[in-house]
Amino acid sequence: MAKRSFAVLALAFALVGPIVVHADSSEDGKSDKSSEQHLKKKHEALEGQAKAERVQRQQMQELKQIQQKEQLKEQLSEEQKNEPVVAKDSPSTEKRSHLWRRGAQVPADFAEDKSHWIEDWQQHSLSEPGQDKRWLQVKSGFVLMDIKTSVIEEIVLGQ
């Protein structure tokens, strides 16, 4: 009978053993799945971080381009401030525009047109023209010219 008990016990172990081994391997499978999920989450996080860095680089490039455009605008506006005034309302502009700068000569037809002469220079906060000098209005600015030579001696913008 001891042999028979031993045989039953051996048979029970033979049947139960694979179940226990299978259960252990299924627990390993669970840990494999959890580690796979962990790795997948880590991978997704790294992808998200890489995407955020790409977006940030792109935004920085766009910002630099905007700053460069603003600097160009500032440079152009500074250059335009230093350029001479162009008269577009003078009679000679029908042919071509005239550049107004100190030392240049006022076109004769413009200098002789009394509609451009400024008699009330005080109201425009201009200095007294002096002998043989005359203020002329050119658009929103003023030009002081020598009457005899028509040479521009002073330019005052936007008063």
PDB file of all heavy atoms in Angstrom, residues 78-109:
ATOM      1  N   GLU A  78      16.306 104.322 -40.641  1.00  0.00           N
ATOM      2  CA  GLU A  78      17.428 105.207 -40.330  1.00  0.00           C
ATOM      3  C   GLU A  78      18.039 105.765 -41.613  1.00  0.00           C
ATOM      4  O   GLU A  78      18.374 106.943 -41.689  1.00  0.00           O
ATOM      5  CB  GLU A  78      18.497 104.465 -39.519  1.00  0.00           C
ATOM      6  CG  GLU A  78      18.117 104.206 -38.081  1.00  0.00           C
ATOM      7  CD  GLU A  78      17.971 105.485 -37.288  1.00  0.00           C
ATOM      8  OE1 GLU A  78      18.772 106.407 -37.470  1.00  0.00           O
ATOM      9  OE2 GLU A  78      17.021 105.552 -36.474  1.00  0.00           O
ATOM     10  N   GLU A  79      18.180 104.918 -42.621  1.00  0.00           N
ATOM     11  CA  GLU A  79      18.736 105.372 -43.890  1.00  0.00           C
ATOM     12  C   GLU A  79      17.812 106.381 -44.547  1.00  0.00           C
ATOM     13  O   GLU A  79      18.265 107.363 -45.127  1.00  0.00           O
ATOM     14  CB  GLU A  79      18.965 104.178 -44.826  1.00  0.00           C
ATOM     15  CG  GLU A  79      20.113 103.288 -44.398  1.00  0.00           C
ATOM     16  CD  GLU A  79      20.240 102.031 -45.242  1.00  0.00           C
ATOM     17  OE1 GLU A  79      19.488 101.887 -46.232  1.00  0.00           O
ATOM     18  OE2 GLU A  79      21.087 101.188 -44.904  1.00  0.00           O
ATOM     19  N   GLN A  80      16.500 106.153 -44.455  1.00  0.00           N
ATOM     20  CA  GLN A  80      15.547 107.075 -45.050  1.00  0.00           C
ATOM     21  C   GLN A  80      15.562 108.417 -44.336  1.00  0.00           C
ATOM     22  O   GLN A  80      15.353 109.449 -44.957  1.00  0.00           O
ATOM     23  CB  GLN A  80      14.138 106.479 -45.024  1.00  0.00           C
ATOM     24  CG  GLN A  80      13.960 105.357 -46.015  1.00  0.00           C
ATOM     25  CD  GLN A  80      12.603 104.687 -45.901  1.00  0.00           C
ATOM     26  OE1 GLN A  80      11.869 104.934 -44.963  1.00  0.00           O
ATOM     27  NE2 GLN A  80      12.282 103.834 -46.858  1.00  0.00           N
ATOM     28  N   LYS A  81      15.815 108.417 -43.033  1.00  0.00           N
ATOM     29  CA  LYS A  81      15.899 109.679 -42.296  1.00  0.00           C
ATOM     30  C   LYS A  81      17.072 110.508 -42.797  1.00  0.00           C
ATOM     31  O   LYS A  81      17.022 111.727 -42.799  1.00  0.00           O
ATOM     32  CB  LYS A  81      16.068 109.415 -40.798  1.00  0.00           C
ATOM     33  CG  LYS A  81      14.818 108.942 -40.123  1.00  0.00           C
ATOM     34  CD  LYS A  81      15.089 108.702 -38.645  1.00  0.00           C
ATOM     35  CE  LYS A  81      13.892 108.090 -37.959  1.00  0.00           C
ATOM     36  NZ  LYS A  81      14.166 107.771 -36.556  1.00  0.00           N
ATOM     37  N   ASN A  82      18.141 109.843 -43.205  1.00  0.00           N
ATOM     38  CA  ASN A  82      19.338 110.537 -43.651  1.00  0.00           C
ATOM     39  C   ASN A  82      19.285 110.931 -45.121  1.00  0.00           C
ATOM     40  O   ASN A  82      20.142 111.663 -45.587  1.00  0.00           O
ATOM     41  CB  ASN A  82      20.577 109.678 -43.390  1.00  0.00           C
ATOM     42  CG  ASN A  82      20.795 109.441 -41.910  1.00  0.00           C
ATOM     43  OD1 ASN A  82      20.407 110.257 -41.093  1.00  0.00           O
ATOM     44  ND2 ASN A  82      21.401 108.320 -41.575  1.00  0.00           N
ATOM     45  N   GLU A  83      18.298 110.429 -45.866  1.00  0.00           N
ATOM     46  CA  GLU A  83      18.173 110.775 -47.273  1.00  0.00           C
ATOM     47  C   GLU A  83      17.602 112.174 -47.416  1.00  0.00           C
ATOM     48  O   GLU A  83      16.838 112.641 -46.587  1.00  0.00           O
ATOM     49  CB  GLU A  83      17.255 109.781 -47.994  1.00  0.00           C
ATOM     50  CG  GLU A  83      17.888 108.439 -48.231  1.00  0.00           C
ATOM     51  CD  GLU A  83      16.995 107.506 -49.023  1.00  0.00           C
ATOM     52  OE1 GLU A  83      15.957 107.965 -49.527  1.00  0.00           O
ATOM     53  OE2 GLU A  83      17.348 106.338 -49.131  1.00  0.00           O
ATOM     54  N   PRO A  84      17.940 112.854 -48.512  1.00  0.00           N
ATOM     55  CA  PRO A  84      17.381 114.179 -48.737  1.00  0.00           C
ATOM     56  C   PRO A  84      15.885 114.105 -49.029  1.00  0.00           C
ATOM     57  O   PRO A  84      15.368 113.079 -49.452  1.00  0.00           O
ATOM     58  CB  PRO A  84      18.150 114.685 -49.958  1.00  0.00           C
ATOM     59  CG  PRO A  84      18.787 113.493 -50.566  1.00  0.00           C
ATOM     60  CD  PRO A  84      18.895 112.449 -49.512  1.00  0.00           C
ATOM     61  N   VAL A  85      15.202 115.208 -48.801  1.00  0.00           N
ATOM     62  CA  VAL A  85      13.766 115.293 -49.025  1.00  0.00           C
ATOM     63  C   VAL A  85      13.510 115.351 -50.518  1.00  0.00           C
ATOM     64  O   VAL A  85      14.193 116.061 -51.247  1.00  0.00           O
ATOM     65  CB  VAL A  85      13.189 116.563 -48.353  1.00  0.00           C
ATOM     66  CG1 VAL A  85      11.702 116.674 -48.605  1.00  0.00           C
ATOM     67  CG2 VAL A  85      13.505 116.577 -46.897  1.00  0.00           C
ATOM     68  N   VAL A  86      12.505 114.623 -50.996  1.00  0.00           N
ATOM     69  CA  VAL A  86      12.148 114.644 -52.403  1.00  0.00           C
ATOM     70  C   VAL A  86      10.865 115.441 -52.545  1.00  0.00           C
ATOM     71  O   VAL A  86       9.857 115.139 -51.914  1.00  0.00           O
ATOM     72  CB  VAL A  86      11.942 113.206 -52.951  1.00  0.00           C
ATOM     73  CG1 VAL A  86      11.506 113.246 -54.392  1.00  0.00           C
ATOM     74  CG2 VAL A  86      13.208 112.406 -52.785  1.00  0.00           C
ATOM     75  N   ALA A  87      10.918 116.464 -53.378  1.00  0.00           N
ATOM     76  CA  ALA A  87       9.733 117.293 -53.599  1.00  0.00           C
ATOM     77  C   ALA A  87       8.874 116.633 -54.660  1.00  0.00           C
ATOM     78  O   ALA A  87       9.327 116.380 -55.767  1.00  0.00           O
ATOM     79  CB  ALA A  87      10.140 118.681 -54.065  1.00  0.00           C
ATOM     80  N   LYS A  88       7.615 116.349 -54.295  1.00  0.00           N
ATOM     81  CA  LYS A  88       6.721 115.715 -55.245  1.00  0.00           C
ATOM     82  C   LYS A  88       5.599 116.650 -55.646  1.00  0.00           C
ATOM     83  O   LYS A  88       4.756 116.300 -56.442  1.00  0.00           O
ATOM     84  CB  LYS A  88       6.157 114.432 -54.649  1.00  0.00           C
ATOM     85  CG  LYS A  88       7.242 113.410 -54.425  1.00  0.00           C
ATOM     86  CD  LYS A  88       6.712 112.078 -54.057  1.00  0.00           C
ATOM     87  CE  LYS A  88       7.890 111.132 -53.909  1.00  0.00           C
ATOM     88  NZ  LYS A  88       7.548 109.847 -53.460  1.00  0.00           N
ATOM     89  N   ASP A  89       5.605 117.852 -55.062  1.00  0.00           N
ATOM     90  CA  ASP A  89       4.540 118.774 -55.402  1.00  0.00           C
ATOM     91  C   ASP A  89       5.051 119.956 -56.214  1.00  0.00           C
ATOM     92  O   ASP A  89       4.330 120.890 -56.467  1.00  0.00           O
ATOM     93  CB  ASP A  89       3.844 119.272 -54.129  1.00  0.00           C
ATOM     94  CG  ASP A  89       4.818 119.893 -53.144  1.00  0.00           C
ATOM     95  OD1 ASP A  89       6.038 119.807 -53.386  1.00  0.00           O
ATOM     96  OD2 ASP A  89       4.356 120.457 -52.138  1.00  0.00           O
ATOM     97  N   SER A  90       6.309 119.923 -56.616  1.00  0.00           N
ATOM     98  CA  SER A  90       6.847 121.015 -57.408  1.00  0.00           C
ATOM     99  C   SER A  90       6.438 120.847 -58.863  1.00  0.00           C
ATOM    100  O   SER A  90       6.171 119.744 -59.325  1.00  0.00           O
ATOM    101  CB  SER A  90       8.369 121.054 -57.287  1.00  0.00           C
ATOM    102  OG  SER A  90       8.921 119.936 -57.930  1.00  0.00           O
ATOM    103  N   PRO A  91       6.380 121.946 -59.608  1.00  0.00           N
ATOM    104  CA  PRO A  91       6.020 121.854 -61.027  1.00  0.00           C
ATOM    105  C   PRO A  91       6.979 120.979 -61.819  1.00  0.00           C
ATOM    106  O   PRO A  91       6.590 120.368 -62.797  1.00  0.00           O
ATOM    107  CB  PRO A  91       6.084 123.305 -61.507  1.00  0.00           C
ATOM    108  CG  PRO A  91       5.985 124.134 -60.278  1.00  0.00           C
ATOM    109  CD  PRO A  91       6.544 123.313 -59.165  1.00  0.00           C
ATOM    110  N   SER A  92       8.234 120.920 -61.411  1.00  0.00           N
ATOM    111  CA  SER A  92       9.212 120.142 -62.168  1.00  0.00           C
ATOM    112  C   SER A  92       9.060 118.646 -61.965  1.00  0.00           C
ATOM    113  O   SER A  92       9.700 117.867 -62.648  1.00  0.00           O
ATOM    114  CB  SER A  92      10.627 120.576 -61.797  1.00  0.00           C
ATOM    115  OG  SER A  92      10.868 120.250 -60.446  1.00  0.00           O
ATOM    116  N   THR A  93       8.215 118.227 -61.013  1.00  0.00           N
ATOM    117  CA  THR A  93       8.081 116.789 -60.756  1.00  0.00           C
ATOM    118  C   THR A  93       7.318 116.079 -61.862  1.00  0.00           C
ATOM    119  O   THR A  93       7.324 114.860 -61.916  1.00  0.00           O
ATOM    120  CB  THR A  93       7.378 116.512 -59.416  1.00  0.00           C
ATOM    121  OG1 THR A  93       6.125 117.158 -59.424  1.00  0.00           O
ATOM    122  CG2 THR A  93       8.227 116.947 -58.264  1.00  0.00           C
ATOM    123  N   GLU A  94       6.668 116.844 -62.694  1.00  0.00           N
ATOM    124  CA  GLU A  94       5.991 116.195 -63.817  1.00  0.00           C
ATOM    125  C   GLU A  94       7.024 115.511 -64.703  1.00  0.00           C
ATOM    126  O   GLU A  94       6.777 114.464 -65.274  1.00  0.00           O
ATOM    127  CB  GLU A  94       5.189 117.229 -64.605  1.00  0.00           C
ATOM    128  CG  GLU A  94       4.039 117.791 -63.792  1.00  0.00           C
ATOM    129  CD  GLU A  94       3.383 118.972 -64.471  1.00  0.00           C
ATOM    130  OE1 GLU A  94       3.712 119.247 -65.647  1.00  0.00           O
ATOM    131  OE2 GLU A  94       2.549 119.614 -63.838  1.00  0.00           O
ATOM    132  N   LYS A  95       8.197 116.120 -64.805  1.00  0.00           N
ATOM    133  CA  LYS A  95       9.271 115.520 -65.602  1.00  0.00           C
ATOM    134  C   LYS A  95      10.023 114.486 -64.773  1.00  0.00           C
ATOM    135  O   LYS A  95      10.196 113.362 -65.169  1.00  0.00           O
ATOM    136  CB  LYS A  95      10.230 116.612 -66.075  1.00  0.00           C
ATOM    137  CG  LYS A  95       9.561 117.653 -66.941  1.00  0.00           C
ATOM    138  CD  LYS A  95      10.480 118.814 -67.188  1.00  0.00           C
ATOM    139  CE  LYS A  95       9.687 119.955 -67.820  1.00  0.00           C
ATOM    140  NZ  LYS A  95      10.362 121.215 -67.755  1.00  0.00           N
ATOM    141  N   ARG A  96      10.497 114.911 -63.568  1.00  0.00           N
ATOM    142  CA  ARG A  96      11.194 114.023 -62.647  1.00  0.00           C
ATOM    143  C   ARG A  96      11.223 114.681 -61.272  1.00  0.00           C
ATOM    144  O   ARG A  96      11.099 115.880 -61.146  1.00  0.00           O
ATOM    145  CB  ARG A  96      12.614 113.704 -63.108  1.00  0.00           C
ATOM    146  CG  ARG A  96      13.529 114.908 -63.154  1.00  0.00           C
ATOM    147  CD  ARG A  96      14.926 114.500 -63.641  1.00  0.00           C
ATOM    148  NE  ARG A  96      15.850 115.585 -63.431  1.00  0.00           N
ATOM    149  CZ  ARG A  96      16.503 115.824 -62.294  1.00  0.00           C
ATOM    150  NH1 ARG A  96      16.329 115.037 -61.269  1.00  0.00           N
ATOM    151  NH2 ARG A  96      17.329 116.838 -62.178  1.00  0.00           N
ATOM    152  N   SER A  97      11.385 113.877 -60.232  1.00  0.00           N
ATOM    153  CA  SER A  97      11.399 114.439 -58.884  1.00  0.00           C
ATOM    154  C   SER A  97      12.767 115.056 -58.609  1.00  0.00           C
ATOM    155  O   SER A  97      13.780 114.662 -59.180  1.00  0.00           O
ATOM    156  CB  SER A  97      11.073 113.368 -57.855  1.00  0.00           C
ATOM    157  OG  SER A  97      12.043 112.364 -57.890  1.00  0.00           O
ATOM    158  N   HIS A  98      12.784 116.023 -57.704  1.00  0.00           N
ATOM    159  CA  HIS A  98      14.004 116.749 -57.368  1.00  0.00           C
ATOM    160  C   HIS A  98      14.464 116.339 -55.976  1.00  0.00           C
ATOM    161  O   HIS A  98      13.662 116.221 -55.060  1.00  0.00           O
ATOM    162  CB  HIS A  98      13.721 118.259 -57.413  1.00  0.00           C
ATOM    163  CG  HIS A  98      14.898 119.097 -57.061  1.00  0.00           C
ATOM    164  ND1 HIS A  98      15.930 119.313 -57.940  1.00  0.00           N
ATOM    165  CD2 HIS A  98      15.212 119.771 -55.931  1.00  0.00           C
ATOM    166  CE1 HIS A  98      16.830 120.085 -57.356  1.00  0.00           C
ATOM    167  NE2 HIS A  98      16.411 120.379 -56.134  1.00  0.00           N
ATOM    168  N   LEU A  99      15.762 116.153 -55.809  1.00  0.00           N
ATOM    169  CA  LEU A  99      16.311 115.833 -54.490  1.00  0.00           C
ATOM    170  C   LEU A  99      16.662 117.137 -53.784  1.00  0.00           C
ATOM    171  O   LEU A  99      17.335 117.993 -54.335  1.00  0.00           O
ATOM    172  CB  LEU A  99      17.563 114.961 -54.623  1.00  0.00           C
ATOM    173  CG  LEU A  99      17.343 113.561 -55.158  1.00  0.00           C
ATOM    174  CD1 LEU A  99      18.670 112.831 -55.287  1.00  0.00           C
ATOM    175  CD2 LEU A  99      16.413 112.793 -54.252  1.00  0.00           C
ATOM    176  N   TRP A 100      16.201 117.230 -52.543  1.00  0.00           N
ATOM    177  CA  TRP A 100      16.444 118.423 -51.740  1.00  0.00           C
ATOM    178  C   TRP A 100      17.536 118.124 -50.733  1.00  0.00           C
ATOM    179  O   TRP A 100      17.384 117.263 -49.876  1.00  0.00           O
ATOM    180  CB  TRP A 100      15.160 118.840 -51.014  1.00  0.00           C
ATOM    181  CG  TRP A 100      14.065 119.186 -51.959  1.00  0.00           C
ATOM    182  CD1 TRP A 100      13.148 118.333 -52.478  1.00  0.00           C
ATOM    183  CD2 TRP A 100      13.794 120.460 -52.519  1.00  0.00           C
ATOM    184  NE1 TRP A 100      12.308 119.001 -53.331  1.00  0.00           N
ATOM    185  CE2 TRP A 100      12.683 120.316 -53.369  1.00  0.00           C
ATOM    186  CE3 TRP A 100      14.375 121.731 -52.390  1.00  0.00           C
ATOM    187  CZ2 TRP A 100      12.145 121.376 -54.081  1.00  0.00           C
ATOM    188  CZ3 TRP A 100      13.831 122.777 -53.097  1.00  0.00           C
ATOM    189  CH2 TRP A 100      12.733 122.600 -53.934  1.00  0.00           C
ATOM    190  N   ARG A 101      18.644 118.836 -50.822  1.00  0.00           N
ATOM    191  CA  ARG A 101      19.733 118.685 -49.861  1.00  0.00           C
ATOM    192  C   ARG A 101      20.496 120.010 -49.778  1.00  0.00           C
ATOM    193  O   ARG A 101      20.468 120.808 -50.707  1.00  0.00           O
ATOM    194  CB  ARG A 101      20.649 117.532 -50.240  1.00  0.00           C
ATOM    195  CG  ARG A 101      21.329 117.690 -51.561  1.00  0.00           C
ATOM    196  CD  ARG A 101      22.230 116.483 -51.878  1.00  0.00           C
ATOM    197  NE  ARG A 101      22.889 116.690 -53.137  1.00  0.00           N
ATOM    198  CZ  ARG A 101      22.412 116.309 -54.300  1.00  0.00           C
ATOM    199  NH1 ARG A 101      21.266 115.672 -54.370  1.00  0.00           N
ATOM    200  NH2 ARG A 101      23.075 116.551 -55.403  1.00  0.00           N
ATOM    201  N   ARG A 102      21.156 120.172 -48.648  1.00  0.00           N
ATOM    202  CA  ARG A 102      21.923 121.416 -48.459  1.00  0.00           C
ATOM    203  C   ARG A 102      22.987 121.541 -49.536  1.00  0.00           C
ATOM    204  O   ARG A 102      23.649 120.573 -49.889  1.00  0.00           O
ATOM    205  CB  ARG A 102      22.579 121.423 -47.088  1.00  0.00           C
ATOM    206  CG  ARG A 102      21.574 121.575 -45.973  1.00  0.00           C
ATOM    207  CD  ARG A 102      22.231 121.596 -44.642  1.00  0.00           C
ATOM    208  NE  ARG A 102      22.936 122.885 -44.522  1.00  0.00           N
ATOM    209  CZ  ARG A 102      23.544 123.305 -43.439  1.00  0.00           C
ATOM    210  NH1 ARG A 102      23.571 122.551 -42.373  1.00  0.00           N
ATOM    211  NH2 ARG A 102      24.134 124.469 -43.397  1.00  0.00           N
ATOM    212  N   GLY A 103      23.118 122.746 -50.063  1.00  0.00           N
ATOM    213  CA  GLY A 103      24.114 122.992 -51.106  1.00  0.00           C
ATOM    214  C   GLY A 103      23.579 122.771 -52.503  1.00  0.00           C
ATOM    215  O   GLY A 103      24.201 123.178 -53.483  1.00  0.00           O
ATOM    216  N   ALA A 104      22.427 122.101 -52.625  1.00  0.00           N
ATOM    217  CA  ALA A 104      21.825 121.879 -53.944  1.00  0.00           C
ATOM    218  C   ALA A 104      21.047 123.126 -54.344  1.00  0.00           C
ATOM    219  O   ALA A 104      20.744 123.993 -53.531  1.00  0.00           O
ATOM    220  CB  ALA A 104      20.914 120.667 -53.906  1.00  0.00           C
ATOM    221  N   GLN A 105      20.696 123.187 -55.594  1.00  0.00           N
ATOM    222  CA  GLN A 105      19.974 124.345 -56.095  1.00  0.00           C
ATOM    223  C   GLN A 105      18.491 124.023 -56.218  1.00  0.00           C
ATOM    224  O   GLN A 105      18.113 122.935 -56.658  1.00  0.00           O
ATOM    225  CB  GLN A 105      20.537 124.760 -57.454  1.00  0.00           C
ATOM    226  CG  GLN A 105      20.439 126.226 -57.710  1.00  0.00           C
ATOM    227  CD  GLN A 105      21.321 126.652 -58.877  1.00  0.00           C
ATOM    228  OE1 GLN A 105      21.786 125.829 -59.642  1.00  0.00           O
ATOM    229  NE2 GLN A 105      21.538 127.947 -59.008  1.00  0.00           N
ATOM    230  N   VAL A 106      17.662 124.987 -55.821  1.00  0.00           N
ATOM    231  CA  VAL A 106      16.211 124.850 -55.953  1.00  0.00           C
ATOM    232  C   VAL A 106      15.874 125.080 -57.422  1.00  0.00           C
ATOM    233  O   VAL A 106      16.368 126.036 -58.025  1.00  0.00           O
ATOM    234  CB  VAL A 106      15.479 125.883 -55.057  1.00  0.00           C
ATOM    235  CG1 VAL A 106      13.985 125.808 -55.272  1.00  0.00           C
ATOM    236  CG2 VAL A 106      15.833 125.680 -53.599  1.00  0.00           C
ATOM    237  N   PRO A 107      15.045 124.231 -58.026  1.00  0.00           N
ATOM    238  CA  PRO A 107      14.642 124.461 -59.421  1.00  0.00           C
ATOM    239  C   PRO A 107      13.995 125.840 -59.570  1.00  0.00           C
ATOM    240  O   PRO A 107      13.223 126.266 -58.713  1.00  0.00           O
ATOM    241  CB  PRO A 107      13.634 123.350 -59.697  1.00  0.00           C
ATOM    242  CG  PRO A 107      13.915 122.308 -58.670  1.00  0.00           C
ATOM    243  CD  PRO A 107      14.447 123.019 -57.490  1.00  0.00           C
ATOM    244  N   ALA A 108      14.308 126.502 -60.646  1.00  0.00           N
ATOM    245  CA  ALA A 108      13.849 127.881 -60.859  1.00  0.00           C
ATOM    246  C   ALA A 108      12.330 127.984 -60.820  1.00  0.00           C
ATOM    247  O   ALA A 108      11.776 128.893 -60.184  1.00  0.00           O
ATOM    248  CB  ALA A 108      14.387 128.408 -62.184  1.00  0.00           C
ATOM    249  N   ASP A 109      11.622 127.068 -61.478  1.00  0.00           N
ATOM    250  CA  ASP A 109      10.164 127.155 -61.505  1.00  0.00           C
ATOM    251  C   ASP A 109       9.562 126.963 -60.108  1.00  0.00           C
ATOM    252  O   ASP A 109       8.542 127.549 -59.778  1.00  0.00           O
ATOM    253  CB  ASP A 109       9.564 126.169 -62.509  1.00  0.00           C
ATOM    254  CG  ASP A 109      10.064 124.751 -62.326  1.00  0.00           C
ATOM    255  OD1 ASP A 109      11.042 124.551 -61.582  1.00  0.00           O
ATOM    256  OD2 ASP A 109       9.470 123.833 -62.922  1.00  0.00           O
TER     257      ASP A 109
END
